[in-house]
Amino acid sequence: VHGSTVRPLEGQTDRPELVNLSFDGNRAFPDDSLRRAIVNRETDCRVPSIFCAVGLDLKRRSYIQPRELLRDALRLQVYYYERGYREARVDTAVAEVGDGVQLTFDIEEGRPVRVDSVEVFSFDEFADSSLIRDLPLKKGDPLSVLLLEATRDSLESRFRNNGFAFADVLVNYDVPRGQYSAQVLFDLATGPSARFGPVTVQGAEELDTISVRRMLPFGTGQTYRANQVLEGQRNLYALELIQSARVEPLLTPGDTVVPVRVTVSEGQVHRVRGGFGWSTEECLTAEARWASRNFMGGARRLTARARVSNILAESLSETACQLVGEGDFARLNGQVALELFQPFLGSARNSVSASAFVERQSV
């Protein structure tokens, strides 16, 4: 730590306030990104800074953490290293400013290691060459660990979403000593092309298994796609009757048929809710709602709603309900409504709903 010694100022019992935090020498990454990588924080305004600028005490006070200074410098070096800047060096300087201190991180970024070539190698054959194009890591990029992992994940996801349930990718790269370029090789093992096998359903009681299966975007014999497994789980959660759902591909390395187990937990088929309230314009109000979440099977939902207002409007017109009005305006208002929701129409992506209501309203 260079500059003034960090010590409690007069009137303080522990650490001085960190009134300013800055970075010097950073060109590759902005200050905001570097601030998120460290622990020390500077005092800032809780609301738009203009309010603090005019003298309002709306600041969030932060105090320097001396024990974290060296660690913050190391955190910044790791931040740079992971993004290809392996020669980055960080130092700290602390100086007193008024009643607080200013912390500056002096950064020497150094020369980054850049990607000289990116190759995908596989002993296995696959027909769709587009699966290895437009990868996150490209020639000329800094050798970022984050981009390496993103590219590996992207390759695995692409192949697992196109029939290769057991696709696996290893990352290899070489940085010769004293050099600033790297050759990156992604070793791809696709495994055999697989298809969805039989689907078994567990936990369904009120809901029939056919309704569960049709919410899945895949069927037995179709090409295995990992993203469709997740989509099927989301589709099942969209059914109000289902409280929890799990779609599990039963993967056995080397198999070309992947059975699927679907486990669901159902909630109550019928739901009743009620409410009561008061307002000066509608006086006393009451409402109720009844829902069947498996109406005539198939996770079809029927909802009936009823609402009544202006209850005791004439009796309370001179006290609690002075804005209701008189005569016709003091009569009961209300609504009765029915809504039918069909969650599946030719596909799990399609649904249809219809509603009807009758209402009386007066203002």
Side-chain angles (χ1 to χ4, degrees), residues 267-282:
Q268 294 294 325
V269 177
H270 299 102
R271 175 183 290 178
V272 178
R273 291 183 176 181
F276 185 77
W278 162 84
S279 73
T280 56
E281 292 186 344
E282 294 185 304

Side-chain angles (χ1 to χ4, degrees), residues 81-296:
Y81 186 94
E82 289 179 338
R83 289 156 179 80
Y85 289 78
R86 300 189 167 201
E87 295 181 343
R89 296 293 179 267
V90 181
D91 205 348
T92 58
V94 179
E96 293 185 4
V97 178
D99 294 333
V101 296
Q102 172 179 307
L103 171 60
T104 302
F105 289 95
D106 294 314
I107 300 172
E108 294 181 11
E109 294 183 333
R111 182 177 173 182
V113 176
R114 295 195 177 274
V115 176
D116 183 58
S117 63
V118 180
E119 295 184 14
V120 179
F121 175 78
S122 177
F123 283 111
D124 304 318
E125 295 183 359
F126 51 91
D128 192 355
S129 61
S130 66
L131 296 177
I132 60 175
R133 296 175 187 165
D134 299 322
L135 297 172
L137 184 68
K138 297 178 174 57
K139 180 179 179 180
D141 289 341
L143 185 63
S144 167
V145 176
L146 306 181
L147 285 178
L148 285 170
E149 287 301 309
T151 303
R152 183 186 66 82
D153 291 344
S154 178
L155 283 169
E156 287 186 353
S157 296
R158 292 181 187 185
F159 279 86
R160 291 177 184 179
N161 292 338
N162 283 273
F164 298 95
F166 308 99
D168 192 25
V169 179
L170 295 177
V171 183
N172 296 287
Y173 61 88
D174 179 42
V175 183
R177 186 177 183 84
Q179 300 296 315
Y180 296 92
S181 62
Q183 297 177 340
V184 180
L185 175 66
F186 293 96
D187 192 356
L188 169 65
T190 65
S193 179
R195 297 185 175 275
F196 284 108
V199 178
T200 58
V201 179
Q202 299 177 352
E205 298 177 1
E206 294 292 337
L207 190 60
D208 58 279
T209 58
I210 295 177
S211 298
V212 174
R213 286 192 177 95
R214 72 182 184 184
M215 298 304 293
L216 305 176
F218 58 83
T220 301
Q222 294 182 352
T223 300
Y224 176 86
R225 302 183 191 277
N227 55 346
Q228 289 187 339
V229 174
L230 295 177
E231 183 182 347
Q233 187 162 297
R234 287 194 298 267
N235 291 345
L236 289 171
Y237 270 112
L239 301 178
E240 288 193 3
L241 179 60
I242 292 181
Q243 287 186 325
S244 65
R246 185 170 58 197
V247 181
E248 299 174 281
L250 306 179
L251 298 170
T252 302
D255 280 0
T256 58
V257 177
V258 181
V260 179
R261 179 172 59 211
V262 180
T263 306
V264 297
S265 175
E266 298 177 350
Q268 294 294 325
V269 177
H270 299 102
R271 175 183 290 178
V272 178
R273 291 183 176 181
F276 185 77
W278 162 84
S279 73
T280 56
E281 292 186 344
E282 294 185 304
C283 205
L284 302 180
T285 62
E287 60 179 272
R289 174 178 297 192
W290 172 87
S292 173
R293 296 186 284 185
N294 193 32
F295 181 68
M296 298 179 65

